Amino acid sequence: ILWIAVGLSVGCILMGIFLAFLVSRDETRPLTLITNVAQSVTEGNLDQQVNVKSSDEIGILAGAFNQMIARLKQMLASERDQREYLQNKVEEYVDYMGEVGRGNLAARLAISENGHGADDPLIVLARNLNETTASIQTLIQQVQEAARNLTSSSTEILAATTQQVSGTSEQSAAISQTATTVNEVK
């Protein structure tokens, strides 16, 4: 009986160890899976998902981890879109400034909000650049108009001066004739 009791005790202990091993393996397998996915995410691979189908704390952790991965993907996509938007705008502004630098003051930046508010600094900059170019264009037109007026006035002054020279020549000839006549009379 003693040997049967010892045998049953040893059997129960071995059965308990075996059951503990199975339970711990079932508990650590999802944690190992979450750990492996976390390591993969830290290496930049966001195409991972934790596939744990339980409703306990480990399942909740796996669900939260999957939501975090999805949010990271969304943030990276948003950052990439913003970077592309900035790069396109900078290239557009560089091309525009090149046109203005070559003297094309009729060039204007196309302004479209495309999901960005009217107070977006790049849209404000585009408006200011367009206004500055328009002001420069207006100023150059005013300078050209002033130059035309100056040319017209110079032409009028030249004509008046030519008339005065002609009149002075006639007066000089008349004085010379008068002097000759006075000399003859003398």
Side-chain angles (χ1 to χ4, degrees), residues 12-30:
C12 286
I13 291 174
L14 289 176
M15 182 65 91
I17 291 173
F18 180 71
L19 287 175
F21 172 75
L22 288 178
V23 169
S24 70
R25 189 179 76 173
D26 286 344
E27 292 296 321
T28 60
R29 185 177 295 159

Side-chain angles (χ1 to χ4, degrees), residues 16 23 53 63 80 102 107 113 130 135 145 160:
V23 169
K53 308 287 187 219
R80 183 180 53 248
R102 286 187 289 280
E113 293 182 10
N130 283 342
S135 295
E145 181 64 29

Side-chain angles (χ1 to χ4, degrees), residues 86-96:
L86 288 173
Q87 185 174 355
N88 290 338
K89 285 298 182 185
V90 167
E91 289 172 1
E92 183 181 335
Y93 291 4
V94 166
D95 291 343
Y96 169 76

Side-chain angles (χ1 to χ4, degrees), residues 1-178:
I1 292 185
L2 181 62
W3 285 108
I4 292 177
V6 169
L8 282 177
S9 296
V10 169
C12 286
I13 291 174
L14 289 176
M15 182 65 91
I17 291 173
F18 180 71
L19 287 175
F21 172 75
L22 288 178
V23 169
S24 70
R25 189 179 76 173
D26 286 344
E27 292 296 321
T28 60
R29 185 177 295 159
L31 290 176
T32 302
L33 182 61
I34 292 172
T35 303
N36 291 339
V37 170
Q39 287 173 341
S40 182
V41 167
T42 60
E43 293 170 358
N45 184 3
L46 295 178
D47 295 327
Q48 300 287 322
Q49 287 288 317
V50 178
N51 294 322
V52 174
K53 308 287 187 219
S54 68
S55 59
D56 61 0
E57 292 82 6
I58 293 175
I60 294 170
L61 174 65
F65 199 80
N66 288 337
Q67 288 176 351
M68 180 185 70
I69 291 171
R71 180 70 178 130
L72 283 172
K73 280 180 168 178
Q74 182 184 24
M75 289 170 56
L76 285 174
S78 174
E79 186 271 332
R80 183 180 53 248
D81 292 345
Q82 184 66 20
R83 186 177 60 244
E84 288 174 4
Y85 168 73
L86 288 173
Q87 185 174 355
N88 290 338
K89 285 298 182 185
V90 167
E91 289 172 1
E92 183 181 335
Y93 291 4
V94 166
D95 291 343
Y96 169 76
M97 293 308 293
E99 282 294 312
V100 171
R102 286 187 289 280
N104 182 5
L105 297 178
R108 296 292 184 270
L109 283 168
I111 298 174
S112 62
E113 293 182 10
N114 290 340
H116 299 275
D119 59 343
D120 178 8
L122 290 176
I123 293 173
V124 172
L125 177 63
R127 284 192 188 112
N128 289 342
L129 286 172
N130 283 342
E131 290 172 7
T132 300
T133 304
S135 295
I136 292 171
Q137 187 178 25
T138 301
L139 182 62
I140 287 176
Q141 289 171 348
Q142 290 172 348
V143 167
Q144 289 172 339
E145 181 64 29
R148 281 192 291 275
N149 290 341
L150 185 59
T151 300
S152 175
S153 296
S154 296
T155 304
E156 290 175 13
I157 291 172
L158 180 62
T161 303
T162 304
Q163 282 180 344
Q164 284 181 351
V165 167
S166 175
T168 304
S169 296
E170 289 174 13
Q171 284 179 353
S172 176
I175 291 173
S176 183
Q177 242 178 3
T178 303

